[in-house]
Amino acid sequence: MWGGQYSVPPADIMAEINASLGFDKALYAQDIAGSIAHAAMLGECGILTKEDSDGICKGLREILREMESGAFPWKPELEDIHMNIEARLTELIGEAAGRLHTARSRNDQVALDLRLYVRDAIGAIDAALLGLQHALLVRAEEHAATLMPGFTHLQPAQPVTLGHHLLAYVEMAGRDRARFADCWARLNESPLGAAALAGTSFPIDRHRTAELLGFERPMANSLDAVGSRDFALEFLADVAICATHLSRLGEEFVLWSGPLGFIRFSDGFSTGSSIMPQKRNPDAAELVRAKAARTAGNLVQLLGVIKALPLAYNKDMQEDKEPVFDSAQTLLLALRASSGMVADFTANIDAMQAAAGAAYSTATDLADWLVRVLNLPFRHAHHVTARIVKLASDKKIPLEKLSLSEMQSVEPCITQDAFSVLSPQASAASRTSFGGTAPENVRAQIAAWKEKLA
């Protein structure tokens, strides 16, 4: 490629550090799509003859078939995906292949390829997130009224339903999908035709290549087109947020299937120990939990690469691909594993319900009853309830096991009716405010989500 100026090949270490074929071959489909659109446009604009344009497009389609079948003759000495394709095209169609690079540079070419890759990755991730939402909705409907403790500070706080808990992750996945959709909309501009950095003197039609590739429009500034990677940063940030949501679900699965005994995974989602024959380890959940750190690291890595780069293209940008590829593949794997675990687990309903009523989790319901029935100010009702909880705690009995006279020793106006709010079932059923955990709310939200996803 440098034969016109350089008389000796690059040093071995220079060739090694400069090469990107080991990872950018993942862009082969995007690179060929961009080249076909570029060649077609050059033909339409009369910059290439129709014969050359058609021959180039035919040759590129043959190369795509070779790559998809595994027959493509990769040559590491050609440095990257772009030069491998151009060299093979020359072997297939001859001199006309050298005309493909008219009015473009590897700078706008690689910027295009990565945008196309991220756009495709977002489509795959959105489909996987949709699958996770459907899996969660199925289990939420099954457990719309299954009681469990809701936690704050990892301590039992108030009774909720398992269905309500799972719906929280449906909401998170919905926001993740919205973020990826926003990212897709912003990156959906074509850098092709910006050439090296200043545009080109050839009478190209950038709107046409944008149209052929499904972009909304061409990018309006050639320096920005080749020198910006904020679309990749936004994608990596969205991946890291989504992976963090999955990590939280993974952590709950670890807790639920271990110390709390709320769920059990089948053999298909459990692993054993090399020394302890009784072990059933939630390795999939633990790995999903860990992979969030990997995606966060990829974001920080690319932020570090881009943060001090002057416009326009710099070779530093070769480091943009591996974190993007890794994050996309890591998230897709974590999403598939998470959907599998959601569909797989069996709930230990008895253990969940017993835990839902433990640790005086209905104390807030008693405080609310004091406000609603006795018209006490909430702060006073809170104080009264705390004293009653202490009384029960000192006796080592649940709230509902106190006698009415014992409660009245703290607040004389309490009546037998107060006991009606102290069961975890009554507590959960009473939370009917919008977004609350009452089973009727859960079922309504499931129906709303089903309609939305349909």
Side-chain angles (χ1 to χ4, degrees), residues 110-195:
V110 71
L112 170 69
D113 290 358
L114 193 60
R115 281 178 183 265
L116 289 172
Y117 179 93
V118 171
R119 199 174 66 177
D120 292 342
I122 288 173
I125 289 168
D126 183 73
L129 277 166
L130 177 61
L132 176 62
Q133 287 181 300
H134 281 302
L136 287 163
L137 286 172
V138 168
R139 303 312 304 274
E141 188 165 31
E142 178 185 349
H143 293 288
T146 298
L147 291 175
M148 66 173 291
F151 295 91
T152 63
H153 307 278
L154 206 55
Q155 299 180 61
Q158 291 180 295
V160 297
T161 67
L162 177 56
H164 187 61
H165 198 118
L166 295 175
L167 280 180
Y169 287 99
V170 177
E171 296 284 341
M172 293 181 211
R175 293 194 297 276
D176 288 329
R177 294 181 67 197
R179 270 184 286 271
F180 282 114
D182 287 345
C183 179
W184 194 96
R186 267 185 290 278
L187 72 81
N188 201 36
E189 296 181 331
S190 173
L192 188 58

Side-chain angles (χ1 to χ4, degrees), residues 302 305-306 309 313-320:
L302 189 55
V305 169
I306 300 298
L309 292 185
Y313 182 80
N314 299 270
K315 194 69 171 185
D316 311 53
M317 290 180 175
Q318 186 164 291
E319 294 296 316
D320 62 359

Side-chain angles (χ1 to χ4, degrees), residues 48-49 51-53 55-56 89-90 93-101:
L48 295 185
T49 66
E51 180 182 7
D52 281 348
S53 175
I56 288 170
L89 186 63
T90 301
I93 70 170
E95 184 184 61
R99 303 185 188 279
L100 172 59
H101 213 54

